[in-house]
Amino acid sequence: MKDPAGQRGRTVWALIITSAAGFMAALDNLVVTTALPAIREDLGGALDDLEWTVSAYTLTFAVLLMSGAALGDRFGRRRLFGVGLAVFTAASAGAALAPGIDGLIAARAVQGVGAAIMMPLTLTLLADTVPAERRGMAYGIWGAVNGLAVASGPLIGGSLTEHLSWQWIFWLNVPIGVALLPLARLRLLESRRPGARLDPVGTALAGTGLFGIVYALVRGNADGWTSGTVLTGLLAGGALLVAFVAHQLRAAHPMLPMRLFRSRAFSAVNAASLLMFLGMFGSIFLLSQFLQGVAGYSPTEAGLRMLPWTGMPMLVAPLAGYLSDRVGGRPVVAAGLGLQALGLALFAVVIEPGVSYAAQLPALIISGVGMALYFAPAANVVMASVRPAEQGIASGANNAFRELGGALGVAVLAAVFSAQGGYASAQRFTDGLTPALWTGAAAVAVAAAAALLIPVRRGTPEPSPAAAGETSEEPVAV
């Protein structure tokens, strides 16, 4: 006999647990940026050391995302979600207690490891629990929470640093993680990919290849884009990723089946995700500095003035999920990316040292609506573009593309900024910020074009010939 009340309860708990965990992982991408001056004053360290407090997390997060999804498929998604959550929580406490800059960087790297295990499993655990006809709305709420976390990182980090101390940007994770661990064990259903096996060669090739590329992107501005370190990272990383693709094509049990990319929906939404995060992540990184360094706001004041952008996902994303169920993901994703590109372009048009907040407001609102329309339908498209047994690795791949886009966005937009401007004066800052914002807007506009390649049809994808013999998975109540 069906138990509607029990199903609703499981759905609500799954949504709460996965959204809270996703919020923590997404928040820590940018939460540290507004705390860097306080960290330098307290712990010391050169500029390169401070940069690594941001990039160490991004690096390990991006590199290990697909491996985290594969481990969940093999050993149990709920179990590995708990492992990742525990590692992330412990590393957050380690970051807060770090006695020096080197210890903080090491803790941030371990945080990224925990987030890489935990984050890709949030969507698969949610999909295991929520009925198919209600997943659009569930993904909408999940997307709203994650979008809010990405964009509000500077606000939360600045507020905690200004009113408490920089350590509290990490202490914040600890009680949340401690509360979620028993809830995950009691309220989430266990599931696996039947017959899933690890691919150690593929994992090593993907990990080292992504490490080389992301390391080079992170170090490009500091070391120079033609330096031996950066060129070696880009070339060696690229070669290893080519080797990874070749291995996946012939492996009996590949970590990332290349047949997934035969799906136009899967390929298009991942291209759009990478470009969306390139433009958005890099723009927020620079705009948060503009509001403080040029406009003269405190970290808290700057974050409050970004609320029309950062708070919009909480209002619009659930509606976006509902719309994606009704009209399909393509028009909603494409419209969201188009609005995000328009918002960044408006910023580029109006930005100047003495610009009023009222002049910025239309760009903030349009950017917020655009970001909100993107997150939920994009997650829905990713999960619907593959077979249920492959949703874990699909989620991991999509998150990896997003994190790589974020690392690329900070590197590329900062390089454009440095080439045209600098920190010497307010005018010099806006001289660099304007072309950087145009670059971000162009990247998101290309993302919108990629989203238009998503097929119009909705529903469960047809199984590929290579996957036709696979056994469907069922959640296991434990």
Side-chain angles (χ1 to χ4, degrees):
M1 180 181 294
K2 293 184 178 180
D3 180 12
Q7 178 63 50
R8 284 196 297 270
R10 286 192 295 271
T11 296
V12 170
W13 276 113
L15 190 56
I16 291 172
I17 294 166
T18 58
S19 295
F23 180 89
M24 289 195 299
L27 178 70
D28 274 51
N29 273 305
L30 285 175
V31 72
V32 75
T33 54
T34 47
L36 290 177
I39 292 173
R40 179 168 55 184
E41 182 178 348
D42 194 9
L43 300 183
L47 179 60
D48 289 351
D49 295 322
L50 295 177
E51 290 177 356
W52 274 110
T53 64
V54 178
S55 58
Y57 180 82
T58 304
L59 187 59
T60 53
F61 194 3
V63 164
L64 297 175
L65 268 166
M66 284 191 291
S67 300
L71 288 169
D73 286 346
R74 173 65 178 84
F75 295 108
R77 291 160 181 162
R78 186 186 66 185
R79 178 183 299 173
L80 265 291
F81 174 81
V83 170
L85 180 60
V87 170
F88 182 87
T89 303
S92 297
L97 295 170
I101 194 70
D102 291 338
L104 177 59
I105 292 170
R108 287 283 287 167
V110 178
Q111 263 192 313
V113 174
I117 298 172
M118 172 178 68
M119 187 65 170
L121 299 177
T122 58
L123 274 178
T124 47
L125 287 167
L126 195 58
D128 287 339
T129 306
V130 180
E133 66 275 9
R134 299 174 63 188
R135 285 176 189 162
M137 182 65 73
Y139 292 154
I141 297 171
W142 180 91
V145 174
N146 280 266
L148 178 65
V150 170
S152 64
L155 166 62
I156 294 174
S159 298
L160 291 173
T161 299
E162 183 177 344
H163 299 294
L164 295 172
S165 70
W166 66 264
Q167 285 89 346
W168 278 96
I169 65 179
F170 303 114
W171 281 127
L172 177 66
N173 295 324
V174 175
I176 300 174
V178 169
L180 289 179
L181 280 167
L183 287 175
R185 178 67 182 84
L186 295 172
R187 299 294 182 177
L188 295 178
L189 298 177
E190 182 62 283
S191 67
R192 327 180 147 74
R193 180 180 173 184
R197 300 183 185 180
L198 296 181
D199 178 12
V201 174
T203 300
L205 288 172
T208 53
L210 290 174
F211 179 89
I213 290 176
V214 175
Y215 181 86
L217 293 175
V218 168
R219 298 301 308 165
N221 289 317
D223 295 348
W225 292 98
T226 58
S227 67
T229 300
V230 172
L231 290 177
T232 299
L234 291 174
L235 294 175
L240 287 167
L241 289 183
V242 170
F244 167 74
V245 172
H247 171 73
Q248 297 298 282
L249 288 171
R250 64 175 185 271
H253 302 283
M255 183 179 75
L256 178 59
M258 291 294 107
R259 67 173 178 273
L260 297 182
F261 292 96
R262 296 174 190 166
S263 165
R264 200 171 74 194
F266 184 80
S267 297
V269 75
N270 279 300
S273 295
L274 186 147
L275 291 166
M276 160 66 173
F277 267 65
L278 190 157
M280 182 196 70
F281 208 93
S283 297
I284 290 176
F285 179 77
L286 291 172
L287 284 168
S288 64
Q289 297 181 64
F290 170 83
L291 291 173
Q292 294 178 67
V294 176
Y297 298 120
S298 70
T300 303
E301 291 170 339
L304 288 172
R305 281 162 176 78
M306 292 188 75
L307 277 178
W309 187 353
T310 61
M312 199 61 68
M314 293 300 293
L315 300 176
V316 179
L319 175 61
Y322 174 81
L323 288 174
S324 73
D325 283 342
R326 293 293 180 267
V327 302
R330 184 177 79 166
V332 186
V333 172
L337 293 171
L339 288 173
Q340 179 70 84
L342 176 61
L344 293 178
L346 286 177
F347 264 123
V349 168
V350 304
I351 211 78
E352 60 182 7
V355 64
S356 67
Y357 180 66
Q360 300 174 56
L361 197 55
L364 288 165
I365 294 172
I366 292 172
S367 295
V369 173
M371 182 170 66
L373 289 175
Y374 157 80
F375 272 109
N380 208 354
V381 170
V382 169
M383 301 302 276
S385 67
V386 299
R387 293 172 55 84
E390 297 170 328
Q391 287 180 336
I393 195 59
S395 173
N398 183 252
N399 278 283
F401 279 114
R402 286 164 51 172
E403 291 301 315
L404 287 170
L408 182 62
V410 171
V412 170
L413 268 64
V416 173
F417 170 83
S418 298
Q420 302 293 325
Y423 292 89
S425 66
Q427 186 60 55
R428 284 289 292 163
F429 192 97
T430 54
D431 286 344
L433 179 59
T434 299
L437 290 173
W438 279 117
T439 303
V444 182
V446 176
L452 291 175
L453 298 176
I454 297 170
V456 176
R457 64 182 179 276
R458 295 179 288 122
T460 304
E462 293 294 326
S464 63
E470 291 184 6
T471 306
S472 61
E473 63 180 335
E474 293 291 340
V476 180
V478 179

